[in-house]
Amino acid sequence: MFSLIRGSVDIPLKSIINILSGNETEKNSWTNIIWQTRLPQAVTAMLCGAALAVCGLMLQTLFRNPLAGPSILGISDGANLGVALVMMGGAAVMGKLSMLNITGNLLIIGGAFIGASFVLAIIIWFSSKIKNAVMLLIIGMMVGYIASSVISILNYYASPDRVHAFVMWGMGDFSSVTLRQLPLFSALMLPALLFSVLLIKPLNALLLGEQYATNLGIKIKNLRIIILICTGLLTAVATAYCGPISFIGLAVPHVARLMIKTSNFKRLLPVTLLTGANIALLCNQLTILPGGNGILLPLNAITPLFGAPIILYVILSRRQQNYFE
């Protein structure tokens, strides 16, 4: 509700309630602002924040590393590479695709999703060959470095306006999902989020170690692939639509643990989902400058201000040895 009320245009709460209930308001522009801008942006922030948070939680548990996050496997870098190829791949390609009625926004989303899915497929293939989770983590980081190198080469040869457009996309933005795109975005996010809830029992077993989980009949190799697919798809969709959002997936699981003082996934996973959604909404509100006449700060300029102190606290508290107990 606060996200619907606060914005660059002041809209009375009574008018917002009338708009949401379908009644007439004083200004038609207020109706467009609520339905076309603020409501899709708030729902997008909630789903994206919840998705990145639960991805971070599952990856930190899988790798038993409190500093693991959605970007650690290179999936976000793969999405960045897909967008870089679209934005800086040449005017000829863009022109041909525009003749097929493929808009620039849809093209960026498709490029990001394909790039993230390609990296995810590589990681899953390696996970079927390598048993050591730490080695898989290192491979994911190396794949991300390779994608970043290719992006740097594309930046070097691209025109300044294309480089600027790519940099602005990399700042992150919850307002890129329109009301028409919201049903598809929700349809991609919600099933994966619900599926993550079904992993509570095996994740609880994994907290006690892979050997203990194996004794309970859990197939570690299959569980690892399932977690990678679930987190990979959530990260891919979130990055494709909203850009690479930093620190939410890394920091929110620690906030949830500090709040409820337990690692039991029956409580921790739902709290992480809700905390991720709320913090994403909060960060989105902080991008709105008071009296800024519609000027917005980049989202990734806000999230590190929240996330970095949390990570520093985790490191300095020296709780890594029993962090998952």
Side-chain angles (χ1 to χ4, degrees):
M1 285 302 300
F2 184 71
S3 296
L4 294 179
I5 294 171
R6 184 172 181 267
S8 58
V9 177
D10 293 329
I11 303 177
L13 177 60
K14 182 178 179 180
S15 298
I16 293 175
I17 295 174
N18 288 334
I19 292 170
L20 295 177
S21 59
N23 298 324
E24 295 183 357
T25 56
E26 296 88 338
K27 297 181 180 180
N28 291 331
S29 60
W30 290 354
T31 303
N32 292 330
I33 289 173
I34 295 298
W35 284 110
Q36 301 297 330
T37 303
R38 293 187 186 179
L39 183 61
Q41 191 170 348
V43 175
T44 300
M46 290 174 60
L47 291 176
C48 190
L52 294 176
V54 77
C55 286
L57 178 63
M58 290 193 290
L59 291 174
Q60 288 168 11
T61 304
L62 175 64
F63 296 111
R64 299 194 64 82
N65 186 339
L67 299 180
S71 62
I72 199 70
L73 291 176
I75 297 172
S76 295
D77 292 308
N80 292 347
L81 178 58
V83 173
L85 290 172
V86 169
M87 289 187 172
M88 298 178 285
V93 176
M94 295 286 288
K96 291 181 180 179
L97 291 173
S98 62
M99 292 175 62
L100 299 176
N101 294 325
I102 300 177
T103 61
N105 188 39
L106 183 60
L107 194 59
I108 290 172
I109 293 171
F113 189 78
I114 291 172
S117 301
F118 179 72
V119 173
L120 175 61
I122 294 175
I123 299 301
I124 292 174
W125 183 82
F126 274 112
S127 69
S128 64
K129 305 293 182 182
I130 298 174
K131 295 182 179 180
N132 193 321
V134 177
M135 293 301 296
L136 184 62
L137 190 64
I138 294 173
I139 290 172
M141 294 174 63
M142 294 305 105
V143 172
Y145 283 133
I146 293 173
S148 298
S149 297
V150 176
I151 293 173
S152 298
I153 295 173
L154 291 172
N155 280 329
Y156 182 79
Y157 287 103
S159 60
D161 58 330
R162 292 181 181 272
V163 174
H164 179 265
F166 177 72
V167 171
M168 294 305 297
W169 175 84
M171 293 292 184
D173 186 10
F174 289 137
S175 63
S176 57
V177 179
T178 64
L179 186 63
R180 291 184 60 186
Q181 295 172 341
L182 189 60
L184 177 60
F185 178 76
S186 302
L188 292 172
M189 280 290 197
L190 289 175
L193 288 173
L194 293 175
F195 184 75
S196 67
V197 177
L198 301 178
L199 297 176
I200 288 178
K201 184 176 180 179
L203 285 170
N204 267 336
L206 197 61
L207 285 175
L208 302 175
E210 292 186 358
Q211 186 64 41
Y212 181 84
T214 302
N215 293 336
L216 292 178
I218 296 174
K219 297 181 180 179
I220 299 299
K221 183 178 178 180
N222 294 341
L223 177 61
R224 183 190 302 167
I225 294 175
I226 290 172
I227 292 175
L228 289 175
I229 292 175
C230 185
T231 56
L233 289 177
L234 286 172
T235 304
V237 174
T239 307
Y241 278 89
C242 305
I245 310 299
S246 62
F247 277 101
I248 289 182
L250 183 60
V252 169
H254 301 300
V255 176
R257 285 191 180 94
L258 293 172
M259 287 170 56
I260 63 176
K261 307 293 184 181
T262 182
S263 290
N264 187 340
F265 272 80
K266 289 183 179 180
R267 294 177 58 195
L268 181 59
L269 194 143
V271 171
T272 301
L273 286 169
L274 294 174
T275 305
N278 278 282
I279 287 178
L281 286 170
L282 175 62
C283 291
N284 187 56
Q285 283 298 305
L286 293 177
T287 62
I288 304 173
L289 291 174
N293 296 324
I295 298 176
L296 300 178
L297 291 173
L299 184 61
N300 280 337
I302 301 298
T303 52
L305 296 177
F306 155 77
I310 299 296
I311 302 305
L312 289 175
Y313 174 79
V314 171
I315 295 174
L316 296 177
S317 64
R318 299 181 181 276
R319 296 171 58 193
Q320 285 85 347
Q321 293 182 354
N322 61 344
Y323 192 79
F324 297 98
E325 295 180 0

